[in-house]
Amino acid sequence: MPPTGADAGRAPGAFRLLRGNRPLRALFTARVVSYAGDSMSLVALMLHVAGTTGQGLAVALLLLVGDFVPSLFGPLTGAVSDRFDRRRVMIVCECAQGVLVLAIALSLSSLTMPLLLVLVALRSLASQVFQPASRSAVPALVGGRDLETANSTIGFGANGAEAFGPLLAAALLPVLGIQGVLLVDAASFLASAVVLLAVGPMPPVRDPDAGPASLLTEARVGLGYILRTCAVRIVATGFCAVVLFNGVDDVALVLLATDTFRSGDSSVGLLLGAVGVGLLLGYAVLTRHAHLLTMPVLLVGGFLVSSAGNVLTGLAWSVAAAFTVQAVRGLGLAAMDVASSTLLQRMVPPDMLGRVFGNFYGAVGVAAAASYVGGGLLLDATDAPTTLIVAGGAGVVCTMVVAVTLPRALRRHTGPEAVDG
């Protein structure tokens, strides 16, 4: 961890923080390399499945096993990062993903669809284990006042790489083909694992009063902690509720452009890319200025902007207006991510942090899947503007509930650090 003097005064900007903190720089670099490779391979696999099966359902199943299925194991994936050395967990997860993608690449021509889905699900499960371990590692790498900047910086790098990956895939596919792009992704995971060696050991923090327990028991303890800790529960359920109501926006934006605005495919791409533009801008701003707001205010503000953004998109009169609102909405999504991560890192004891993040991101994945299903039914029954207004309005109501209940819960909370706000 950096010197304690880093906690005093104004938090440094992203470049200064990365330049002066080698372990954090290693985690940042590993995330950028891995996310870029992963988004490249997703494009390649979608093209492969679409080309070999010709079925949209097969592509949907590929996305489902990659996003939703691992979320169901959230309690266990988080328990792994609390039970073992977190650096070792991250390195093993990256190696496992690299080996699985390598196996897919080398046997692509002979893989049946069910076996491909199994391998993709296993790779995604390893990624689901990595996520709580990496989020839990941040407080061990930076001082308390640098958490906002560190989370914003990692978010900017990961989301930037994820957005850049498909563009890189488009450039490499004509040269390397689908198998070659998958091999590049496998290499990116292995490179990430090597970079993570610079993070340094992070042995698990043990409760001296607790005896040996199985992984399932530790997972149950993690769930129990969230259920009985009011402030943590409000942050997690509020975030999931906003995702539950607003996750349908990706589908609704396609129909908004094609059916409501009677525009072409390029307009669909513009609307879907607007949030990504706002996200990157939001993370960039927060790397420097997140400390100007308390994290509860930033969280509620993020909920409000992301939800109200969908309401205003439903009321938009043109593609340009919808693009502008969705870009602003991306700022809210960045604020949600940074504020929720920082709040949890400050509130939750180090020995419980992995389980909290594992359950949190698992629940977010389930909420997103439920939003696609429920929102799809609402879209079929109404239209895109109505769906966006209803979804965003429900998100605003959830935001108001969090705004009323969270401050009181934080005042009563006792944790490893005082929570700002």
Side-chain angles (χ1 to χ4, degrees), residues 44-79:
L45 286 175
M46 290 173 66
L47 289 173
H48 170 74
V49 170
T52 55
T53 68
Q55 297 177 352
L57 178 60
V59 178
L61 284 174
L62 177 72
L63 297 175
L64 186 65
V65 300
D67 292 335
F68 174 65
V69 173
S71 300
L72 301 177
F73 296 90
L76 287 172
T77 58

PDB file of all heavy atoms in Angstrom, residues 44-79:
ATOM      1  N   ALA A  44     -15.839 -12.432 -32.511  1.00  0.00           N
ATOM      2  CA  ALA A  44     -15.458 -13.582 -33.332  1.00  0.00           C
ATOM      3  C   ALA A  44     -16.397 -14.769 -33.097  1.00  0.00           C
ATOM      4  O   ALA A  44     -16.819 -15.433 -34.049  1.00  0.00           O
ATOM      5  CB  ALA A  44     -14.013 -13.977 -33.031  1.00  0.00           C
ATOM      6  N   LEU A  45     -16.727 -15.030 -31.844  1.00  0.00           N
ATOM      7  CA  LEU A  45     -17.603 -16.167 -31.542  1.00  0.00           C
ATOM      8  C   LEU A  45     -19.018 -15.930 -32.054  1.00  0.00           C
ATOM      9  O   LEU A  45     -19.678 -16.861 -32.531  1.00  0.00           O
ATOM     10  CB  LEU A  45     -17.620 -16.431 -30.036  1.00  0.00           C
ATOM     11  CG  LEU A  45     -16.354 -17.085 -29.466  1.00  0.00           C
ATOM     12  CD1 LEU A  45     -16.440 -17.176 -27.947  1.00  0.00           C
ATOM     13  CD2 LEU A  45     -16.153 -18.479 -30.068  1.00  0.00           C
ATOM     14  N   MET A  46     -19.504 -14.707 -31.946  1.00  0.00           N
ATOM     15  CA  MET A  46     -20.835 -14.413 -32.475  1.00  0.00           C
ATOM     16  C   MET A  46     -20.877 -14.625 -33.984  1.00  0.00           C
ATOM     17  O   MET A  46     -21.839 -15.187 -34.517  1.00  0.00           O
ATOM     18  CB  MET A  46     -21.231 -12.976 -32.115  1.00  0.00           C
ATOM     19  CG  MET A  46     -21.518 -12.766 -30.640  1.00  0.00           C
ATOM     20  SD  MET A  46     -21.781 -11.023 -30.203  1.00  0.00           S
ATOM     21  CE  MET A  46     -23.294 -10.672 -31.084  1.00  0.00           C
ATOM     22  N   LEU A  47     -19.828 -14.193 -34.675  1.00  0.00           N
ATOM     23  CA  LEU A  47     -19.765 -14.410 -36.121  1.00  0.00           C
ATOM     24  C   LEU A  47     -19.697 -15.901 -36.452  1.00  0.00           C
ATOM     25  O   LEU A  47     -20.344 -16.377 -37.388  1.00  0.00           O
ATOM     26  CB  LEU A  47     -18.552 -13.685 -36.697  1.00  0.00           C
ATOM     27  CG  LEU A  47     -18.630 -12.160 -36.731  1.00  0.00           C
ATOM     28  CD1 LEU A  47     -17.300 -11.570 -37.160  1.00  0.00           C
ATOM     29  CD2 LEU A  47     -19.749 -11.695 -37.664  1.00  0.00           C
ATOM     30  N   HIS A  48     -18.913 -16.643 -35.663  1.00  0.00           N
ATOM     31  CA  HIS A  48     -18.798 -18.086 -35.893  1.00  0.00           C
ATOM     32  C   HIS A  48     -20.135 -18.783 -35.699  1.00  0.00           C
ATOM     33  O   HIS A  48     -20.551 -19.600 -36.539  1.00  0.00           O
ATOM     34  CB  HIS A  48     -17.750 -18.672 -34.944  1.00  0.00           C
ATOM     35  CG  HIS A  48     -17.728 -20.175 -34.941  1.00  0.00           C
ATOM     36  ND1 HIS A  48     -17.204 -20.913 -35.983  1.00  0.00           N
ATOM     37  CD2 HIS A  48     -18.184 -21.077 -34.014  1.00  0.00           C
ATOM     38  CE1 HIS A  48     -17.331 -22.208 -35.709  1.00  0.00           C
ATOM     39  NE2 HIS A  48     -17.921 -22.336 -34.537  1.00  0.00           N
ATOM     40  N   VAL A  49     -20.806 -18.481 -34.597  1.00  0.00           N
ATOM     41  CA  VAL A  49     -22.087 -19.141 -34.301  1.00  0.00           C
ATOM     42  C   VAL A  49     -23.134 -18.759 -35.344  1.00  0.00           C
ATOM     43  O   VAL A  49     -23.878 -19.619 -35.837  1.00  0.00           O
ATOM     44  CB  VAL A  49     -22.559 -18.767 -32.881  1.00  0.00           C
ATOM     45  CG1 VAL A  49     -23.992 -19.240 -32.641  1.00  0.00           C
ATOM     46  CG2 VAL A  49     -21.630 -19.375 -31.846  1.00  0.00           C
ATOM     47  N   ALA A  50     -23.190 -17.478 -35.701  1.00  0.00           N
ATOM     48  CA  ALA A  50     -24.152 -17.040 -36.701  1.00  0.00           C
ATOM     49  C   ALA A  50     -23.875 -17.686 -38.059  1.00  0.00           C
ATOM     50  O   ALA A  50     -24.793 -18.081 -38.779  1.00  0.00           O
ATOM     51  CB  ALA A  50     -24.125 -15.521 -36.824  1.00  0.00           C
ATOM     52  N   GLY A  51     -22.588 -17.821 -38.401  1.00  0.00           N
ATOM     53  CA  GLY A  51     -22.232 -18.385 -39.693  1.00  0.00           C
ATOM     54  C   GLY A  51     -22.428 -19.883 -39.788  1.00  0.00           C
ATOM     55  O   GLY A  51     -22.781 -20.399 -40.849  1.00  0.00           O
ATOM     56  N   THR A  52     -22.212 -20.607 -38.688  1.00  0.00           N
ATOM     57  CA  THR A  52     -22.316 -22.065 -38.726  1.00  0.00           C
ATOM     58  C   THR A  52     -23.728 -22.578 -38.454  1.00  0.00           C
ATOM     59  O   THR A  52     -24.105 -23.648 -38.927  1.00  0.00           O
ATOM     60  CB  THR A  52     -21.358 -22.703 -37.702  1.00  0.00           C
ATOM     61  OG1 THR A  52     -21.626 -22.142 -36.399  1.00  0.00           O
ATOM     62  CG2 THR A  52     -19.917 -22.442 -38.086  1.00  0.00           C
ATOM     63  N   THR A  53     -24.513 -21.821 -37.688  1.00  0.00           N
ATOM     64  CA  THR A  53     -25.873 -22.275 -37.363  1.00  0.00           C
ATOM     65  C   THR A  53     -26.942 -21.517 -38.146  1.00  0.00           C
ATOM     66  O   THR A  53     -28.008 -22.065 -38.426  1.00  0.00           O
ATOM     67  CB  THR A  53     -26.171 -22.119 -35.857  1.00  0.00           C
ATOM     68  OG1 THR A  53     -26.223 -20.724 -35.533  1.00  0.00           O
ATOM     69  CG2 THR A  53     -25.104 -22.801 -35.034  1.00  0.00           C
ATOM     70  N   GLY A  54     -26.657 -20.244 -38.458  1.00  0.00           N
ATOM     71  CA  GLY A  54     -27.651 -19.438 -39.141  1.00  0.00           C
ATOM     72  C   GLY A  54     -28.855 -19.112 -38.286  1.00  0.00           C
ATOM     73  O   GLY A  54     -29.897 -18.704 -38.800  1.00  0.00           O
ATOM     74  N   GLN A  55     -28.730 -19.274 -36.972  1.00  0.00           N
ATOM     75  CA  GLN A  55     -29.866 -19.083 -36.068  1.00  0.00           C
ATOM     76  C   GLN A  55     -29.590 -17.957 -35.076  1.00  0.00           C
ATOM     77  O   GLN A  55     -28.560 -17.947 -34.401  1.00  0.00           O
ATOM     78  CB  GLN A  55     -30.152 -20.374 -35.289  1.00  0.00           C
ATOM     79  CG  GLN A  55     -30.556 -21.553 -36.171  1.00  0.00           C
ATOM     80  CD  GLN A  55     -30.758 -22.817 -35.363  1.00  0.00           C
ATOM     81  OE1 GLN A  55     -30.461 -22.860 -34.171  1.00  0.00           O
ATOM     82  NE2 GLN A  55     -31.268 -23.839 -36.014  1.00  0.00           N
ATOM     83  N   GLY A  56     -30.537 -17.031 -34.985  1.00  0.00           N
ATOM     84  CA  GLY A  56     -30.420 -15.983 -33.993  1.00  0.00           C
ATOM     85  C   GLY A  56     -30.492 -16.523 -32.580  1.00  0.00           C
ATOM     86  O   GLY A  56     -29.861 -15.988 -31.660  1.00  0.00           O
ATOM     87  N   LEU A  57     -31.264 -17.604 -32.390  1.00  0.00           N
ATOM     88  CA  LEU A  57     -31.385 -18.205 -31.067  1.00  0.00           C
ATOM     89  C   LEU A  57     -30.037 -18.718 -30.572  1.00  0.00           C
ATOM     90  O   LEU A  57     -29.722 -18.611 -29.379  1.00  0.00           O
ATOM     91  CB  LEU A  57     -32.398 -19.356 -31.099  1.00  0.00           C
ATOM     92  CG  LEU A  57     -32.604 -20.116 -29.782  1.00  0.00           C
ATOM     93  CD1 LEU A  57     -33.105 -19.182 -28.688  1.00  0.00           C
ATOM     94  CD2 LEU A  57     -33.568 -21.287 -29.988  1.00  0.00           C
ATOM     95  N   ALA A  58     -29.230 -19.253 -31.466  1.00  0.00           N
ATOM     96  CA  ALA A  58     -27.918 -19.765 -31.071  1.00  0.00           C
ATOM     97  C   ALA A  58     -27.020 -18.633 -30.581  1.00  0.00           C
ATOM     98  O   ALA A  58     -26.297 -18.775 -29.593  1.00  0.00           O
ATOM     99  CB  ALA A  58     -27.263 -20.495 -32.240  1.00  0.00           C
ATOM    100  N   VAL A  59     -27.082 -17.474 -31.251  1.00  0.00           N
ATOM    101  CA  VAL A  59     -26.309 -16.311 -30.805  1.00  0.00           C
ATOM    102  C   VAL A  59     -26.805 -15.841 -29.447  1.00  0.00           C
ATOM    103  O   VAL A  59     -26.015 -15.497 -28.560  1.00  0.00           O
ATOM    104  CB  VAL A  59     -26.392 -15.172 -31.841  1.00  0.00           C
ATOM    105  CG1 VAL A  59     -25.634 -13.944 -31.351  1.00  0.00           C
ATOM    106  CG2 VAL A  59     -25.832 -15.632 -33.188  1.00  0.00           C
ATOM    107  N   ALA A  60     -28.137 -15.846 -29.261  1.00  0.00           N
ATOM    108  CA  ALA A  60     -28.709 -15.447 -27.975  1.00  0.00           C
ATOM    109  C   ALA A  60     -28.260 -16.385 -26.862  1.00  0.00           C
ATOM    110  O   ALA A  60     -27.956 -15.951 -25.744  1.00  0.00           O
ATOM    111  CB  ALA A  60     -30.229 -15.421 -28.070  1.00  0.00           C
ATOM    112  N   LEU A  61     -28.207 -17.683 -27.149  1.00  0.00           N
ATOM    113  CA  LEU A  61     -27.737 -18.653 -26.142  1.00  0.00           C
ATOM    114  C   LEU A  61     -26.280 -18.405 -25.788  1.00  0.00           C
ATOM    115  O   LEU A  61     -25.879 -18.531 -24.624  1.00  0.00           O
ATOM    116  CB  LEU A  61     -27.924 -20.081 -26.668  1.00  0.00           C
ATOM    117  CG  LEU A  61     -29.342 -20.634 -26.658  1.00  0.00           C
ATOM    118  CD1 LEU A  61     -29.382 -21.996 -27.350  1.00  0.00           C
ATOM    119  CD2 LEU A  61     -29.841 -20.766 -25.218  1.00  0.00           C
ATOM    120  N   LEU A  62     -25.479 -18.052 -26.789  1.00  0.00           N
ATOM    121  CA  LEU A  62     -24.069 -17.746 -26.533  1.00  0.00           C
ATOM    122  C   LEU A  62     -23.945 -16.583 -25.561  1.00  0.00           C
ATOM    123  O   LEU A  62     -23.162 -16.631 -24.596  1.00  0.00           O
ATOM    124  CB  LEU A  62     -23.374 -17.408 -27.853  1.00  0.00           C
ATOM    125  CG  LEU A  62     -21.906 -16.987 -27.754  1.00  0.00           C
ATOM    126  CD1 LEU A  62     -21.030 -18.177 -27.408  1.00  0.00           C
ATOM    127  CD2 LEU A  62     -21.446 -16.351 -29.066  1.00  0.00           C
ATOM    128  N   LEU A  63     -24.736 -15.538 -25.781  1.00  0.00           N
ATOM    129  CA  LEU A  63     -24.700 -14.377 -24.887  1.00  0.00           C
ATOM    130  C   LEU A  63     -25.255 -14.729 -23.514  1.00  0.00           C
ATOM    131  O   LEU A  63     -24.764 -14.242 -22.483  1.00  0.00           O
ATOM    132  CB  LEU A  63     -25.498 -13.228 -25.496  1.00  0.00           C
ATOM    133  CG  LEU A  63     -24.962 -12.674 -26.821  1.00  0.00           C
ATOM    134  CD1 LEU A  63     -25.920 -11.627 -27.382  1.00  0.00           C
ATOM    135  CD2 LEU A  63     -23.575 -12.087 -26.642  1.00  0.00           C
ATOM    136  N   LEU A  64     -26.263 -15.594 -23.484  1.00  0.00           N
ATOM    137  CA  LEU A  64     -26.890 -15.968 -22.211  1.00  0.00           C
ATOM    138  C   LEU A  64     -25.919 -16.729 -21.320  1.00  0.00           C
ATOM    139  O   LEU A  64     -25.779 -16.419 -20.123  1.00  0.00           O
ATOM    140  CB  LEU A  64     -28.141 -16.814 -22.470  1.00  0.00           C
ATOM    141  CG  LEU A  64     -28.988 -17.157 -21.248  1.00  0.00           C
ATOM    142  CD1 LEU A  64     -29.598 -15.906 -20.651  1.00  0.00           C
ATOM    143  CD2 LEU A  64     -30.082 -18.151 -21.621  1.00  0.00           C
ATOM    144  N   VAL A  65     -25.234 -17.715 -21.873  1.00  0.00           N
ATOM    145  CA  VAL A  65     -24.302 -18.496 -21.048  1.00  0.00           C
ATOM    146  C   VAL A  65     -23.084 -17.660 -20.661  1.00  0.00           C
ATOM    147  O   VAL A  65     -22.446 -17.919 -19.640  1.00  0.00           O
ATOM    148  CB  VAL A  65     -23.849 -19.787 -21.763  1.00  0.00           C
ATOM    149  CG1 VAL A  65     -25.013 -20.683 -22.077  1.00  0.00           C
ATOM    150  CG2 VAL A  65     -23.065 -19.477 -23.032  1.00  0.00           C
ATOM    151  N   GLY A  66     -22.785 -16.636 -21.459  1.00  0.00           N
ATOM    152  CA  GLY A  66     -21.647 -15.798 -21.129  1.00  0.00           C
ATOM    153  C   GLY A  66     -21.938 -14.749 -20.072  1.00  0.00           C
ATOM    154  O   GLY A  66     -21.048 -14.376 -19.306  1.00  0.00           O
ATOM    155  N   ASP A  67     -23.190 -14.302 -19.994  1.00  0.00           N
ATOM    156  CA  ASP A  67     -23.531 -13.209 -19.079  1.00  0.00           C
ATOM    157  C   ASP A  67     -24.368 -13.665 -17.889  1.00  0.00           C
ATOM    158  O   ASP A  67     -24.083 -13.296 -16.744  1.00  0.00           O
ATOM    159  CB  ASP A  67     -24.293 -12.107 -19.833  1.00  0.00           C
ATOM    160  CG  ASP A  67     -23.420 -11.396 -20.844  1.00  0.00           C
ATOM    161  OD1 ASP A  67     -22.190 -11.399 -20.660  1.00  0.00           O
ATOM    162  OD2 ASP A  67     -23.958 -10.859 -21.817  1.00  0.00           O
ATOM    163  N   PHE A  68     -25.403 -14.438 -18.144  1.00  0.00           N
ATOM    164  CA  PHE A  68     -26.378 -14.746 -17.096  1.00  0.00           C
ATOM    165  C   PHE A  68     -25.996 -15.949 -16.246  1.00  0.00           C
ATOM    166  O   PHE A  68     -26.036 -15.890 -15.008  1.00  0.00           O
ATOM    167  CB  PHE A  68     -27.746 -14.980 -17.734  1.00  0.00           C
ATOM    168  CG  PHE A  68     -28.785 -15.453 -16.759  1.00  0.00           C
ATOM    169  CD1 PHE A  68     -29.210 -14.630 -15.724  1.00  0.00           C
ATOM    170  CD2 PHE A  68     -29.335 -16.717 -16.861  1.00  0.00           C
ATOM    171  CE1 PHE A  68     -30.168 -15.060 -14.816  1.00  0.00           C
ATOM    172  CE2 PHE A  68     -30.281 -17.159 -15.970  1.00  0.00           C
ATOM    173  CZ  PHE A  68     -30.706 -16.328 -14.944  1.00  0.00           C
ATOM    174  N   VAL A  69     -25.598 -17.038 -16.876  1.00  0.00           N
ATOM    175  CA  VAL A  69     -25.331 -18.275 -16.130  1.00  0.00           C
ATOM    176  C   VAL A  69     -24.287 -18.085 -15.030  1.00  0.00           C
ATOM    177  O   VAL A  69     -24.497 -18.504 -13.886  1.00  0.00           O
ATOM    178  CB  VAL A  69     -24.924 -19.415 -17.102  1.00  0.00           C
ATOM    179  CG1 VAL A  69     -24.486 -20.648 -16.328  1.00  0.00           C
ATOM    180  CG2 VAL A  69     -26.095 -19.756 -18.026  1.00  0.00           C
ATOM    181  N   PRO A  70     -23.131 -17.431 -15.300  1.00  0.00           N
ATOM    182  CA  PRO A  70     -22.149 -17.253 -14.214  1.00  0.00           C
ATOM    183  C   PRO A  70     -22.685 -16.423 -13.051  1.00  0.00           C
ATOM    184  O   PRO A  70     -22.226 -16.582 -11.915  1.00  0.00           O
ATOM    185  CB  PRO A  70     -20.982 -16.541 -14.911  1.00  0.00           C
ATOM    186  CG  PRO A  70     -21.138 -16.858 -16.348  1.00  0.00           C
ATOM    187  CD  PRO A  70     -22.611 -16.928 -16.576  1.00  0.00           C
ATOM    188  N   SER A  71     -23.653 -15.543 -13.320  1.00  0.00           N
ATOM    189  CA  SER A  71     -24.199 -14.708 -12.253  1.00  0.00           C
ATOM    190  C   SER A  71     -24.878 -15.532 -11.169  1.00  0.00           C
ATOM    191  O   SER A  71     -24.954 -15.107 -10.009  1.00  0.00           O
ATOM    192  CB  SER A  71     -25.207 -13.704 -12.839  1.00  0.00           C
ATOM    193  OG  SER A  71     -24.593 -12.873 -13.780  1.00  0.00           O
ATOM    194  N   LEU A  72     -25.371 -16.692 -11.528  1.00  0.00           N
ATOM    195  CA  LEU A  72     -26.057 -17.542 -10.561  1.00  0.00           C
ATOM    196  C   LEU A  72     -25.104 -18.086  -9.496  1.00  0.00           C
ATOM    197  O   LEU A  72     -25.546 -18.536  -8.447  1.00  0.00           O
ATOM    198  CB  LEU A  72     -26.742 -18.705 -11.286  1.00  0.00           C
ATOM    199  CG  LEU A  72     -27.783 -18.310 -12.345  1.00  0.00           C
ATOM    200  CD1 LEU A  72     -28.315 -19.543 -13.034  1.00  0.00           C
ATOM    201  CD2 LEU A  72     -28.917 -17.508 -11.717  1.00  0.00           C
ATOM    202  N   PHE A  73     -23.819 -18.036  -9.770  1.00  0.00           N
ATOM    203  CA  PHE A  73     -22.823 -18.565  -8.838  1.00  0.00           C
ATOM    204  C   PHE A  73     -22.152 -17.453  -8.024  1.00  0.00           C
ATOM    205  O   PHE A  73     -21.106 -17.676  -7.424  1.00  0.00           O
ATOM    206  CB  PHE A  73     -21.751 -19.354  -9.604  1.00  0.00           C
ATOM    207  CG  PHE A  73     -22.269 -20.583 -10.295  1.00  0.00           C
ATOM    208  CD1 PHE A  73     -22.750 -20.528 -11.593  1.00  0.00           C
ATOM    209  CD2 PHE A  73     -22.292 -21.806  -9.639  1.00  0.00           C
ATOM    210  CE1 PHE A  73     -23.233 -21.649 -12.230  1.00  0.00           C
ATOM    211  CE2 PHE A  73     -22.773 -22.936 -10.264  1.00  0.00           C
ATOM    212  CZ  PHE A  73     -23.257 -22.863 -11.565  1.00  0.00           C
ATOM    213  N   GLY A  74     -22.759 -16.259  -7.998  1.00  0.00           N
ATOM    214  CA  GLY A  74     -22.185 -15.117  -7.310  1.00  0.00           C
ATOM    215  C   GLY A  74     -21.761 -15.381  -5.868  1.00  0.00           C
ATOM    216  O   GLY A  74     -20.657 -14.994  -5.458  1.00  0.00           O
ATOM    217  N   PRO A  75     -22.603 -16.032  -5.044  1.00  0.00           N
ATOM    218  CA  PRO A  75     -22.195 -16.278  -3.651  1.00  0.00           C
ATOM    219  C   PRO A  75     -20.915 -17.097  -3.539  1.00  0.00           C
ATOM    220  O   PRO A  75     -20.079 -16.843  -2.665  1.00  0.00           O
ATOM    221  CB  PRO A  75     -23.402 -17.036  -3.072  1.00  0.00           C
ATOM    222  CG  PRO A  75     -24.556 -16.587  -3.896  1.00  0.00           C
ATOM    223  CD  PRO A  75     -24.005 -16.409  -5.275  1.00  0.00           C
ATOM    224  N   LEU A  76     -20.740 -18.075  -4.437  1.00  0.00           N
ATOM    225  CA  LEU A  76     -19.553 -18.927  -4.377  1.00  0.00           C
ATOM    226  C   LEU A  76     -18.329 -18.238  -4.970  1.00  0.00           C
ATOM    227  O   LEU A  76     -17.219 -18.359  -4.430  1.00  0.00           O
ATOM    228  CB  LEU A  76     -19.812 -20.237  -5.120  1.00  0.00           C
ATOM    229  CG  LEU A  76     -20.738 -21.229  -4.429  1.00  0.00           C
ATOM    230  CD1 LEU A  76     -21.052 -22.395  -5.355  1.00  0.00           C
ATOM    231  CD2 LEU A  76     -20.114 -21.747  -3.132  1.00  0.00           C
ATOM    232  N   THR A  77     -18.517 -17.511  -6.071  1.00  0.00           N
ATOM    233  CA  THR A  77     -17.359 -16.861  -6.698  1.00  0.00           C
ATOM    234  C   THR A  77     -16.745 -15.819  -5.771  1.00  0.00           C
ATOM    235  O   THR A  77     -15.527 -15.637  -5.740  1.00  0.00           O
ATOM    236  CB  THR A  77     -17.762 -16.201  -8.027  1.00  0.00           C
ATOM    237  OG1 THR A  77     -18.796 -15.241  -7.790  1.00  0.00           O
ATOM    238  CG2 THR A  77     -18.268 -17.237  -9.014  1.00  0.00           C
ATOM    239  N   GLY A  78     -17.588 -15.119  -5.020  1.00  0.00           N
ATOM    240  CA  GLY A  78     -17.048 -14.153  -4.072  1.00  0.00           C
ATOM    241  C   GLY A  78     -16.347 -14.811  -2.903  1.00  0.00           C
ATOM    242  O   GLY A  78     -15.329 -14.311  -2.405  1.00  0.00           O
ATOM    243  N   ALA A  79     -16.872 -15.967  -2.460  1.00  0.00           N
ATOM    244  CA  ALA A  79     -16.252 -16.672  -1.335  1.00  0.00           C
ATOM    245  C   ALA A  79     -14.847 -17.141  -1.677  1.00  0.00           C
ATOM    246  O   ALA A  79     -13.971 -17.206  -0.806  1.00  0.00           O
ATOM    247  CB  ALA A  79     -17.126 -17.858  -0.925  1.00  0.00           C
TER     248      ALA A  79
END
